[in-house]
Amino acid sequence: MSDRVEIEALDLAALLCSRVCHDIISPVGAIINGLEVLDEDKGEEMQKFAFELIRKSADQASAKLQFARLAFGAAGSTTAEIDLGDAEKVATGYMKSEKPEFSWQAPRVLMGKNRVKLILNLVLLAVGAVPRGGSVRVLIEGEADRPNFTLRSSGPSARIPPAFEKLVPGDIAGLLIDAQAVQAYYTGALARACDMTIAAVLDEADVVITATSPAKAEA
């Protein structure tokens, strides 16, 4: 019997909701600030500034919501498949407001929704590995039902995200889990649902995160 301590379902749902709200609150707050400027200052320059702020923030909020819908949402039935092109689109949109530059290399195929959710959540972990910016590169290889994911984070002070080794396997014993830490835990849960194994290593100054499928059994 496993003695691994896991997060209760209701607590996990609450933490994930907090994680999404954390991403959305900043651009929504900026939209409100822009509207207040429009109400209080009728000068041409300030009006132009306010409209630009509102437009930019609305684009960011939309991109983050589209990403969250695919990365955390139900996305259809348990057997649903998602076009990797759609995953690339939402990931690229999300990364426009993040510090690291972003690249995505993958075939345009349909893939099971949990595997797509996994790669998007791995993107969030890869961004967390370079808090001062740099680059995040995504490579997806293999067959759609047995893929391998590689994410390389390059940048100043690149580091493996805190608590990665314990939270990805799903053991929270002795750990305080908040809306940021839950990211690694949820990513690990997705990997287990997909029968994939996640690892993170330092490759000189880069952090390389991989998710691998089991080898195909020989006939």
Side-chain angles (χ1 to χ4, degrees):
M1 180 181 294
S2 172
D3 58 357
R4 184 175 64 193
V5 179
E6 298 184 341
I7 300 176
E8 296 291 336
L10 288 177
D11 291 335
L12 178 58
L15 286 166
L16 289 175
C17 285
S18 295
R19 171 72 179 83
V20 173
C21 290
H22 178 271
D23 266 0
I24 303 302
I25 194 66
S26 180
V28 171
I31 292 171
I32 294 172
N33 291 339
L35 292 172
E36 289 175 348
V37 170
L38 289 177
D39 288 337
E40 296 171 2
D41 194 322
K42 304 302 180 182
E44 184 177 343
E45 285 298 319
M46 288 305 296
Q47 293 270 307
K48 181 180 178 182
F49 166 78
F51 277 120
E52 289 177 350
L53 175 62
I54 292 170
R55 185 176 295 107
K56 178 181 178 181
S57 300
D59 287 343
Q60 287 182 1
S62 176
K64 289 177 181 295
L65 281 171
Q66 290 180 56
F67 182 92
R69 179 175 176 269
L70 211 55
F72 302 108
S77 67
T78 55
T79 58
E81 293 185 322
I82 297 172
D83 191 325
L84 278 185
D86 293 336
E88 177 183 8
K89 181 178 179 181
V90 300
T92 301
Y94 179 93
M95 290 298 296
K96 285 182 179 179
S97 60
E98 297 298 309
K99 292 180 182 179
E101 296 181 358
F102 183 67
S103 66
W104 175 287
Q105 184 178 344
R108 186 73 183 260
V109 296
L110 293 175
M111 188 173 286
K113 74 169 186 178
N114 277 345
R115 290 186 176 92
V116 173
K117 289 158 72 77
L118 174 58
I119 188 62
L120 293 179
N121 279 271
L122 286 170
V123 167
L124 296 178
L125 289 183
V127 172
V130 280
R132 295 172 58 189
S135 67
V136 170
R137 287 172 282 172
V138 176
L139 174 64
I140 301 176
E141 301 175 295
E143 301 173 14
D145 62 346
R146 194 175 280 103
N148 294 310
F149 307 146
T150 303
L151 296 90
R152 180 176 289 271
S153 300
S154 307
S157 304
R159 66 194 180 25
I160 297 174
F164 183 98
E165 290 184 0
K166 191 160 190 178
L167 284 176
V168 165
D171 187 358
I172 66 167
L175 297 177
L176 178 63
I177 308 300
D178 58 18
Q180 293 300 312
V182 75
Q183 183 62 60
Y185 179 91
Y186 181 63
T187 305
L190 285 170
R192 290 189 292 278
C194 298
D195 193 24
M196 296 181 72
T197 302
I198 299 178
V201 298
L202 284 172
D203 181 14
E204 296 184 352
D206 296 349
V207 172
V208 179
I209 300 174
T210 57
T212 56
S213 296
K216 189 173 183 178
E218 295 184 4

mmCIF file with all atom_site columns, all heavy atoms in Angstrom, residues 164-181:
data_model
loop_
_atom_site.group_PDB
_atom_site.id
_atom_site.type_symbol
_atom_site.label_atom_id
_atom_site.label_alt_id
_atom_site.label_comp_id
_atom_site.label_asym_id
_atom_site.label_entity_id
_atom_site.label_seq_id
_atom_site.pdbx_PDB_ins_code
_atom_site.Cartn_x
_atom_site.Cartn_y
_atom_site.Cartn_z
_atom_site.occupancy
_atom_site.B_iso_or_equiv
_atom_site.pdbx_formal_charge
_atom_site.auth_seq_id
_atom_site.auth_comp_id
_atom_site.auth_asym_id
_atom_site.auth_atom_id
_atom_site.pdbx_PDB_model_num
ATOM 1   N N   . PHE A 1 164 ? 10.069 20.481 -7.452  1.00 0.00 ? 164 PHE A N   1
ATOM 2   C CA  . PHE A 1 164 ? 9.746  19.679 -8.640  1.00 0.00 ? 164 PHE A CA  1
ATOM 3   C C   . PHE A 1 164 ? 9.848  18.184 -8.336  1.00 0.00 ? 164 PHE A C   1
ATOM 4   O O   . PHE A 1 164 ? 8.939  17.418 -8.648  1.00 0.00 ? 164 PHE A O   1
ATOM 5   C CB  . PHE A 1 164 ? 10.699 20.055 -9.775  1.00 0.00 ? 164 PHE A CB  1
ATOM 6   C CG  . PHE A 1 164 ? 10.424 19.361 -11.079 1.00 0.00 ? 164 PHE A CG  1
ATOM 7   C CD1 . PHE A 1 164 ? 9.703  19.990 -12.077 1.00 0.00 ? 164 PHE A CD1 1
ATOM 8   C CD2 . PHE A 1 164 ? 10.893 18.076 -11.319 1.00 0.00 ? 164 PHE A CD2 1
ATOM 9   C CE1 . PHE A 1 164 ? 9.447  19.365 -13.285 1.00 0.00 ? 164 PHE A CE1 1
ATOM 10  C CE2 . PHE A 1 164 ? 10.648 17.430 -12.520 1.00 0.00 ? 164 PHE A CE2 1
ATOM 11  C CZ  . PHE A 1 164 ? 9.924  18.081 -13.502 1.00 0.00 ? 164 PHE A CZ  1
ATOM 12  N N   . GLU A 1 165 ? 10.952 17.783 -7.717  1.00 0.00 ? 165 GLU A N   1
ATOM 13  C CA  . GLU A 1 165 ? 11.210 16.357 -7.532  1.00 0.00 ? 165 GLU A CA  1
ATOM 14  C C   . GLU A 1 165 ? 10.164 15.684 -6.650  1.00 0.00 ? 165 GLU A C   1
ATOM 15  O O   . GLU A 1 165 ? 9.851  14.511 -6.833  1.00 0.00 ? 165 GLU A O   1
ATOM 16  C CB  . GLU A 1 165 ? 12.609 16.159 -6.945  1.00 0.00 ? 165 GLU A CB  1
ATOM 17  C CG  . GLU A 1 165 ? 13.719 16.497 -7.929  1.00 0.00 ? 165 GLU A CG  1
ATOM 18  C CD  . GLU A 1 165 ? 15.090 16.207 -7.363  1.00 0.00 ? 165 GLU A CD  1
ATOM 19  O OE1 . GLU A 1 165 ? 15.168 15.742 -6.199  1.00 0.00 ? 165 GLU A OE1 1
ATOM 20  O OE2 . GLU A 1 165 ? 16.092 16.445 -8.064  1.00 0.00 ? 165 GLU A OE2 1
ATOM 21  N N   . LYS A 1 166 ? 9.596  16.426 -5.691  1.00 0.00 ? 166 LYS A N   1
ATOM 22  C CA  . LYS A 1 166 ? 8.616  15.812 -4.803  1.00 0.00 ? 166 LYS A CA  1
ATOM 23  C C   . LYS A 1 166 ? 7.187  15.997 -5.312  1.00 0.00 ? 166 LYS A C   1
ATOM 24  O O   . LYS A 1 166 ? 6.369  15.075 -5.236  1.00 0.00 ? 166 LYS A O   1
ATOM 25  C CB  . LYS A 1 166 ? 8.741  16.397 -3.398  1.00 0.00 ? 166 LYS A CB  1
ATOM 26  C CG  . LYS A 1 166 ? 7.934  15.602 -2.363  1.00 0.00 ? 166 LYS A CG  1
ATOM 27  C CD  . LYS A 1 166 ? 8.416  15.858 -0.960  1.00 0.00 ? 166 LYS A CD  1
ATOM 28  C CE  . LYS A 1 166 ? 7.768  14.865 0.009   1.00 0.00 ? 166 LYS A CE  1
ATOM 29  N NZ  . LYS A 1 166 ? 8.240  15.049 1.391   1.00 0.00 ? 166 LYS A NZ  1
ATOM 30  N N   . LEU A 1 167 ? 6.868  17.165 -5.839  1.00 0.00 ? 167 LEU A N   1
ATOM 31  C CA  . LEU A 1 167 ? 5.485  17.452 -6.225  1.00 0.00 ? 167 LEU A CA  1
ATOM 32  C C   . LEU A 1 167 ? 5.082  16.766 -7.518  1.00 0.00 ? 167 LEU A C   1
ATOM 33  O O   . LEU A 1 167 ? 3.929  16.347 -7.661  1.00 0.00 ? 167 LEU A O   1
ATOM 34  C CB  . LEU A 1 167 ? 5.268  18.955 -6.342  1.00 0.00 ? 167 LEU A CB  1
ATOM 35  C CG  . LEU A 1 167 ? 5.149  19.690 -5.004  1.00 0.00 ? 167 LEU A CG  1
ATOM 36  C CD1 . LEU A 1 167 ? 5.027  21.186 -5.225  1.00 0.00 ? 167 LEU A CD1 1
ATOM 37  C CD2 . LEU A 1 167 ? 3.959  19.183 -4.220  1.00 0.00 ? 167 LEU A CD2 1
ATOM 38  N N   . VAL A 1 168 ? 5.980  16.642 -8.483  1.00 0.00 ? 168 VAL A N   1
ATOM 39  C CA  . VAL A 1 168 ? 5.617  15.951 -9.724  1.00 0.00 ? 168 VAL A CA  1
ATOM 40  C C   . VAL A 1 168 ? 5.224  14.496 -9.456  1.00 0.00 ? 168 VAL A C   1
ATOM 41  O O   . VAL A 1 168 ? 4.230  14.015 -10.003 1.00 0.00 ? 168 VAL A O   1
ATOM 42  C CB  . VAL A 1 168 ? 6.750  16.055 -10.765 1.00 0.00 ? 168 VAL A CB  1
ATOM 43  C CG1 . VAL A 1 168 ? 6.538  15.059 -11.895 1.00 0.00 ? 168 VAL A CG1 1
ATOM 44  C CG2 . VAL A 1 168 ? 6.793  17.473 -11.348 1.00 0.00 ? 168 VAL A CG2 1
ATOM 45  N N   . PRO A 1 169 ? 5.943  13.769 -8.589  1.00 0.00 ? 169 PRO A N   1
ATOM 46  C CA  . PRO A 1 169 ? 5.490  12.406 -8.263  1.00 0.00 ? 169 PRO A CA  1
ATOM 47  C C   . PRO A 1 169 ? 4.197  12.380 -7.454  1.00 0.00 ? 169 PRO A C   1
ATOM 48  O O   . PRO A 1 169 ? 3.599  11.325 -7.271  1.00 0.00 ? 169 PRO A O   1
ATOM 49  C CB  . PRO A 1 169 ? 6.654  11.834 -7.447  1.00 0.00 ? 169 PRO A CB  1
ATOM 50  C CG  . PRO A 1 169 ? 7.838  12.644 -7.840  1.00 0.00 ? 169 PRO A CG  1
ATOM 51  C CD  . PRO A 1 169 ? 7.296  14.015 -8.075  1.00 0.00 ? 169 PRO A CD  1
ATOM 52  N N   . GLY A 1 170 ? 3.762  13.539 -6.925  1.00 0.00 ? 170 GLY A N   1
ATOM 53  C CA  . GLY A 1 170 ? 2.474  13.598 -6.256  1.00 0.00 ? 170 GLY A CA  1
ATOM 54  C C   . GLY A 1 170 ? 2.501  13.438 -4.763  1.00 0.00 ? 170 GLY A C   1
ATOM 55  O O   . GLY A 1 170 ? 1.461  13.230 -4.144  1.00 0.00 ? 170 GLY A O   1
ATOM 56  N N   . ASP A 1 171 ? 3.667  13.568 -4.134  1.00 0.00 ? 171 ASP A N   1
ATOM 57  C CA  . ASP A 1 171 ? 3.771  13.410 -2.688  1.00 0.00 ? 171 ASP A CA  1
ATOM 58  C C   . ASP A 1 171 ? 3.862  14.787 -2.038  1.00 0.00 ? 171 ASP A C   1
ATOM 59  O O   . ASP A 1 171 ? 4.835  15.504 -2.238  1.00 0.00 ? 171 ASP A O   1
ATOM 60  C CB  . ASP A 1 171 ? 4.998  12.580 -2.334  1.00 0.00 ? 171 ASP A CB  1
ATOM 61  C CG  . ASP A 1 171 ? 5.069  12.237 -0.858  1.00 0.00 ? 171 ASP A CG  1
ATOM 62  O OD1 . ASP A 1 171 ? 4.179  12.681 -0.105  1.00 0.00 ? 171 ASP A OD1 1
ATOM 63  O OD2 . ASP A 1 171 ? 5.998  11.511 -0.465  1.00 0.00 ? 171 ASP A OD2 1
ATOM 64  N N   . ILE A 1 172 ? 2.867  15.166 -1.242  1.00 0.00 ? 172 ILE A N   1
ATOM 65  C CA  . ILE A 1 172 ? 2.862  16.495 -0.630  1.00 0.00 ? 172 ILE A CA  1
ATOM 66  C C   . ILE A 1 172 ? 3.206  16.442 0.851   1.00 0.00 ? 172 ILE A C   1
ATOM 67  O O   . ILE A 1 172 ? 3.054  17.443 1.560   1.00 0.00 ? 172 ILE A O   1
ATOM 68  C CB  . ILE A 1 172 ? 1.502  17.190 -0.815  1.00 0.00 ? 172 ILE A CB  1
ATOM 69  C CG1 . ILE A 1 172 ? 0.410  16.433 -0.045  1.00 0.00 ? 172 ILE A CG1 1
ATOM 70  C CG2 . ILE A 1 172 ? 1.155  17.328 -2.283  1.00 0.00 ? 172 ILE A CG2 1
ATOM 71  C CD1 . ILE A 1 172 ? -0.893 17.221 0.072   1.00 0.00 ? 172 ILE A CD1 1
ATOM 72  N N   . ALA A 1 173 ? 3.652  15.301 1.342   1.00 0.00 ? 173 ALA A N   1
ATOM 73  C CA  . ALA A 1 173 ? 3.957  15.156 2.766   1.00 0.00 ? 173 ALA A CA  1
ATOM 74  C C   . ALA A 1 173 ? 4.941  16.232 3.229   1.00 0.00 ? 173 ALA A C   1
ATOM 75  O O   . ALA A 1 173 ? 6.021  16.389 2.669   1.00 0.00 ? 173 ALA A O   1
ATOM 76  C CB  . ALA A 1 173 ? 4.538  13.767 3.046   1.00 0.00 ? 173 ALA A CB  1
ATOM 77  N N   . GLY A 1 174 ? 4.546  17.001 4.238   1.00 0.00 ? 174 GLY A N   1
ATOM 78  C CA  . GLY A 1 174 ? 5.423  18.012 4.818   1.00 0.00 ? 174 GLY A CA  1
ATOM 79  C C   . GLY A 1 174 ? 5.547  19.283 4.006   1.00 0.00 ? 174 GLY A C   1
ATOM 80  O O   . GLY A 1 174 ? 6.342  20.164 4.355   1.00 0.00 ? 174 GLY A O   1
ATOM 81  N N   . LEU A 1 175 ? 4.786  19.407 2.921   1.00 0.00 ? 175 LEU A N   1
ATOM 82  C CA  . LEU A 1 175 ? 4.883  20.577 2.058   1.00 0.00 ? 175 LEU A CA  1
ATOM 83  C C   . LEU A 1 175 ? 3.643  21.451 2.176   1.00 0.00 ? 175 LEU A C   1
ATOM 84  O O   . LEU A 1 175 ? 2.523  20.956 2.335   1.00 0.00 ? 175 LEU A O   1
ATOM 85  C CB  . LEU A 1 175 ? 5.064  20.161 0.597   1.00 0.00 ? 175 LEU A CB  1
ATOM 86  C CG  . LEU A 1 175 ? 6.332  19.381 0.260   1.00 0.00 ? 175 LEU A CG  1
ATOM 87  C CD1 . LEU A 1 175 ? 6.320  18.991 -1.218  1.00 0.00 ? 175 LEU A CD1 1
ATOM 88  C CD2 . LEU A 1 175 ? 7.574  20.190 0.573   1.00 0.00 ? 175 LEU A CD2 1
ATOM 89  N N   . LEU A 1 176 ? 3.852  22.761 2.096   1.00 0.00 ? 176 LEU A N   1
ATOM 90  C CA  . LEU A 1 176 ? 2.744  23.709 2.063   1.00 0.00 ? 176 LEU A CA  1
ATOM 91  C C   . LEU A 1 176 ? 2.435  24.000 0.599   1.00 0.00 ? 176 LEU A C   1
ATOM 92  O O   . LEU A 1 176 ? 3.271  24.552 -0.117  1.00 0.00 ? 176 LEU A O   1
ATOM 93  C CB  . LEU A 1 176 ? 3.119  25.000 2.798   1.00 0.00 ? 176 LEU A CB  1
ATOM 94  C CG  . LEU A 1 176 ? 2.053  26.101 2.808   1.00 0.00 ? 176 LEU A CG  1
ATOM 95  C CD1 . LEU A 1 176 ? 0.805  25.624 3.547   1.00 0.00 ? 176 LEU A CD1 1
ATOM 96  C CD2 . LEU A 1 176 ? 2.601  27.382 3.451   1.00 0.00 ? 176 LEU A CD2 1
ATOM 97  N N   . ILE A 1 177 ? 1.261  23.630 0.142   1.00 0.00 ? 177 ILE A N   1
ATOM 98  C CA  . ILE A 1 177 ? 0.895  23.775 -1.269  1.00 0.00 ? 177 ILE A CA  1
ATOM 99  C C   . ILE A 1 177 ? 0.069  25.036 -1.459  1.00 0.00 ? 177 ILE A C   1
ATOM 100 O O   . ILE A 1 177 ? -0.967 25.225 -0.803  1.00 0.00 ? 177 ILE A O   1
ATOM 101 C CB  . ILE A 1 177 ? 0.092  22.555 -1.767  1.00 0.00 ? 177 ILE A CB  1
ATOM 102 C CG1 . ILE A 1 177 ? 0.838  21.266 -1.433  1.00 0.00 ? 177 ILE A CG1 1
ATOM 103 C CG2 . ILE A 1 177 ? -0.152 22.656 -3.264  1.00 0.00 ? 177 ILE A CG2 1
ATOM 104 C CD1 . ILE A 1 177 ? 2.196  21.163 -2.049  1.00 0.00 ? 177 ILE A CD1 1
ATOM 105 N N   . ASP A 1 178 ? 0.527  25.909 -2.361  1.00 0.00 ? 178 ASP A N   1
ATOM 106 C CA  . ASP A 1 178 ? -0.231 27.103 -2.700  1.00 0.00 ? 178 ASP A CA  1
ATOM 107 C C   . ASP A 1 178 ? -0.552 27.081 -4.189  1.00 0.00 ? 178 ASP A C   1
ATOM 108 O O   . ASP A 1 178 ? -0.304 26.089 -4.881  1.00 0.00 ? 178 ASP A O   1
ATOM 109 C CB  . ASP A 1 178 ? 0.526  28.378 -2.312  1.00 0.00 ? 178 ASP A CB  1
ATOM 110 C CG  . ASP A 1 178 ? 1.900  28.477 -2.986  1.00 0.00 ? 178 ASP A CG  1
ATOM 111 O OD1 . ASP A 1 178 ? 2.140  27.768 -3.990  1.00 0.00 ? 178 ASP A OD1 1
ATOM 112 O OD2 . ASP A 1 178 ? 2.729  29.275 -2.523  1.00 0.00 ? 178 ASP A OD2 1
ATOM 113 N N   . ALA A 1 179 ? -1.121 28.192 -4.692  1.00 0.00 ? 179 ALA A N   1
ATOM 114 C CA  . ALA A 1 179 ? -1.573 28.233 -6.076  1.00 0.00 ? 179 ALA A CA  1
ATOM 115 C C   . ALA A 1 179 ? -0.418 28.139 -7.072  1.00 0.00 ? 179 ALA A C   1
ATOM 116 O O   . ALA A 1 179 ? -0.634 27.783 -8.238  1.00 0.00 ? 179 ALA A O   1
ATOM 117 C CB  . ALA A 1 179 ? -2.371 29.516 -6.335  1.00 0.00 ? 179 ALA A CB  1
ATOM 118 N N   . GLN A 1 180 ? 0.800  28.441 -6.640  1.00 0.00 ? 180 GLN A N   1
ATOM 119 C CA  . GLN A 1 180 ? 1.950  28.290 -7.516  1.00 0.00 ? 180 GLN A CA  1
ATOM 120 C C   . GLN A 1 180 ? 2.507  26.871 -7.452  1.00 0.00 ? 180 GLN A C   1
ATOM 121 O O   . GLN A 1 180 ? 2.800  26.251 -8.471  1.00 0.00 ? 180 GLN A O   1
ATOM 122 C CB  . GLN A 1 180 ? 3.036  29.309 -7.130  1.00 0.00 ? 180 GLN A CB  1
ATOM 123 C CG  . GLN A 1 180 ? 2.652  30.759 -7.392  1.00 0.00 ? 180 GLN A CG  1
ATOM 124 C CD  . GLN A 1 180 ? 2.343  31.020 -8.851  1.00 0.00 ? 180 GLN A CD  1
ATOM 125 O OE1 . GLN A 1 180 ? 3.100  30.622 -9.742  1.00 0.00 ? 180 GLN A OE1 1
ATOM 126 N NE2 . GLN A 1 180 ? 1.233  31.694 -9.115  1.00 0.00 ? 180 GLN A NE2 1
ATOM 127 N N   . ALA A 1 181 ? 2.650  26.339 -6.250  1.00 0.00 ? 181 ALA A N   1
ATOM 128 C CA  . ALA A 1 181 ? 3.223  25.002 -6.091  1.00 0.00 ? 181 ALA A CA  1
ATOM 129 C C   . ALA A 1 181 ? 2.342  23.920 -6.691  1.00 0.00 ? 181 ALA A C   1
ATOM 130 O O   . ALA A 1 181 ? 2.827  22.871 -7.112  1.00 0.00 ? 181 ALA A O   1
ATOM 131 C CB  . ALA A 1 181 ? 3.461  24.720 -4.606  1.00 0.00 ? 181 ALA A CB  1
#
